[in-house]
Amino acid sequence: MSMRVFNGLLVGVLVATALALLPTSAAQAQVCQHRTGVSHGGGIFPNTFTEDSVCGNQTGAPVHATPDSSSPQVGVMDTAQSWFLCWTRGQQHGGGNNVWYYTQGDRVVSNPERHGYGFVPALYLNTSLDPDDARLAQCPSLPADRSTAYMVYDRVTGTSVRSEEHKRFRSASLVKLLIALDYLETLGPGTAVPTADAQLLQSMLRSSKDNAASALWERGGWETIVSRMVTKIGLTDTAPPADRGMWGYTEISAADVVKIYRYILERADPSFRNLIMGHLRQATRCADDGWDQYFGIPRAVSAPWAVKQGWSAFDEDPRCPVAAGTRSPSARTASVDLASPAMHTSGTLCANDRKIMVVLTLNPLGTTWADAASRITTQAGTLYAAAPC
């Protein structure tokens, strides 16, 4: 197997070295070689794989998001021998069966959050009896197609409407609230924010600029930002990402996002509250990466509102006529779905920020931006209609 593409960098030297030790004749390449004692990240699955099989395969084999040739192609196999982790049944293909093998593509072609992980039809493997030749276990169940969690909290009455509010999701850009708050808490009340940092905070909070978030994330100590905020605010469902560089996969819940807003509004220094909420009240329609972030609250709820939105794993061209920016990198954590397209809306509504609304959603692979935005906007509108300002 050639070196893997991961976040734009070539990795996998150890894998290539290990494969170089395997027999390489044409006849031997036809036989899958089962290995134990290895360690592969699960990709879209939460588990680590400790066994694999190295099999011959056709170069140029497509890697699909799901075991269905109509699903997005997320990677391609550039080499003629690769490791495979498990098998599953899916769409019937030209190989005469419905067996698909799970692997990581040598090259990422779309949906970079997946890092090329997906399914290859048995048609492209040099096997004669599927799945027996590969000697692999059957794959775990795929992540659920879609899920929604929400919480609406009334700061005057103390009442709330909620569903699955402690279910954990990957944060996408909602973690930028913690990055901003930790930066200000570290700076301290009464200390002027340097001009350059003020611009980073503005672009990160108003237009969700990822480069700004990355700069503050690194300077603030990477994952220690999340750990400090968990302790300070008393968050119970929030955890840092498994890879310290991947802030977009911090684990969060609707209940914890409500707690973050309550801390900003009720416990943080007034200057911090005014800065953060002031930017959220001026959230731009077009995000820095080109997406239209007026979904959910800003589309369904009457002004006044202040919002911070989040999204991840959509594979379309941006809808807003602005220059595209760099999206946040991503990595695995053990307990959240990192494969399904995520779209979140969060913020305050009504006069004096009376209500806090958080809606977190996951969608089936291949869901369009428009469909996901319509779904979350409908949900936000339904919640607002049930208890308007």
Side-chain angles (χ1 to χ4, degrees), residues 72-136:
Q73 184 179 341
V74 297
V76 65
M77 311 302 292
D78 287 325
T79 56
Q81 194 176 55
S82 303
W83 49 254
F84 298 86
L85 301 177
C86 60
W87 68 273
T88 190
R89 296 195 184 277
Q91 183 189 55
Q92 191 84 6
H93 51 74
N97 60 46
N98 62 357
V99 174
W100 293 64
Y101 293 98
Y102 180 67
T103 186
Q104 184 184 26
D106 297 299
R107 177 161 40 93
V108 174
V109 298
S110 73
N111 208 340
E113 289 86 356
R114 295 175 65 106
H115 306 306
Y117 277 99
F119 299 86
V120 177
L123 164 68
Y124 292 96
L125 272 70
N126 299 334
T127 54
S128 57
L129 184 61
D130 299 301
D132 293 356
D133 282 359
R135 293 185 291 167
L136 291 169

Side-chain angles (χ1 to χ4, degrees), residues 42-65:
I44 67 173
F45 296 112
N47 55 291
T48 296
F49 289 88
T50 58
E51 298 186 8
D52 68 13
S53 285
V54 178
C55 305
N57 61 266
Q58 295 181 34
T59 58
V63 183
H64 287 273

Side-chain angles (χ1 to χ4, degrees), residues 65-346:
T66 64
D68 186 329
S69 59
S70 65
S71 68
Q73 184 179 341
V74 297
V76 65
M77 311 302 292
D78 287 325
T79 56
Q81 194 176 55
S82 303
W83 49 254
F84 298 86
L85 301 177
C86 60
W87 68 273
T88 190
R89 296 195 184 277
Q91 183 189 55
Q92 191 84 6
H93 51 74
N97 60 46
N98 62 357
V99 174
W100 293 64
Y101 293 98
Y102 180 67
T103 186
Q104 184 184 26
D106 297 299
R107 177 161 40 93
V108 174
V109 298
S110 73
N111 208 340
E113 289 86 356
R114 295 175 65 106
H115 306 306
Y117 277 99
F119 299 86
V120 177
L123 164 68
Y124 292 96
L125 272 70
N126 299 334
T127 54
S128 57
L129 184 61
D130 299 301
D132 293 356
D133 282 359
R135 293 185 291 167
L136 291 169
Q138 192 163 4
C139 294
S141 298
L142 286 172
D145 272 350
R146 62 173 52 186
S147 58
T148 301
Y150 61 79
M151 184 171 179
V152 183
Y153 178 78
D154 189 320
R155 296 173 58 231
V156 173
T157 65
T159 59
S160 63
V161 177
R162 62 187 74 189
S163 174
E164 298 284 346
E165 71 275 14
H166 291 290
K167 178 178 174 63
R168 293 184 176 189
F169 291 73
R170 67 188 190 272
S171 67
S173 288
L174 297 193
V175 73
K176 292 170 183 174
L177 293 170
L178 294 181
I179 295 173
L181 185 57
D182 182 78
Y183 170 87
L184 294 170
E185 295 273 2
T186 301
L187 191 66
T191 303
V193 178
T195 301
D197 289 352
Q199 182 58 46
L200 290 176
L201 290 168
Q202 175 177 312
S203 60
M204 179 179 74
L205 294 173
R206 294 188 190 185
S207 301
S208 207
K209 186 170 184 176
D210 290 344
N211 288 345
S214 294
L216 294 174
W217 174 261
E218 294 176 17
R219 196 191 315 165
W222 312 77
E223 77 285 353
T224 62
I225 292 173
V226 177
S227 298
R228 286 193 294 268
M229 289 293 97
V230 164
T231 300
K232 183 177 287 269
I233 301 175
L235 305 176
T236 57
D237 307 315
T238 300
D243 187 317
R244 65 186 331 223
M246 314 307 186
W247 49 260
Y249 287 115
T250 297
E251 296 183 18
I252 54 141
S253 69
D256 272 3
V257 177
V258 168
K259 286 183 181 179
I260 293 168
Y261 278 101
R262 290 194 64 191
Y263 181 89
I264 294 170
L265 293 167
E266 300 168 7
R267 296 166 55 194
D269 185 86
S271 64
F272 303 163
R273 177 192 66 221
N274 293 339
L275 187 151
I276 294 174
M277 296 306 298
H279 287 316
L280 300 189
R281 296 187 213 289
Q282 298 182 69
T284 61
R285 175 168 181 172
C286 293
D288 177 74
D289 65 2
W291 292 108
D292 182 349
Q293 62 174 343
Y294 272 18
F295 53 79
I297 293 171
R299 183 69 65 192
V301 175
S302 301
W305 44 254
V307 294
K308 185 70 201 80
Q309 312 283 67
W311 55 90
S312 174
F314 289 91
D315 191 33
E316 304 171 80
D317 290 329
R319 293 179 174 270
C320 283
V322 297
T326 302
R327 299 188 196 178
S328 61
S330 56
R332 288 219 53 78
T333 57
S335 57
V336 294
D337 175 354
L338 303 184
S340 303
M343 184 173 283
H344 310 321
T345 187
S346 77

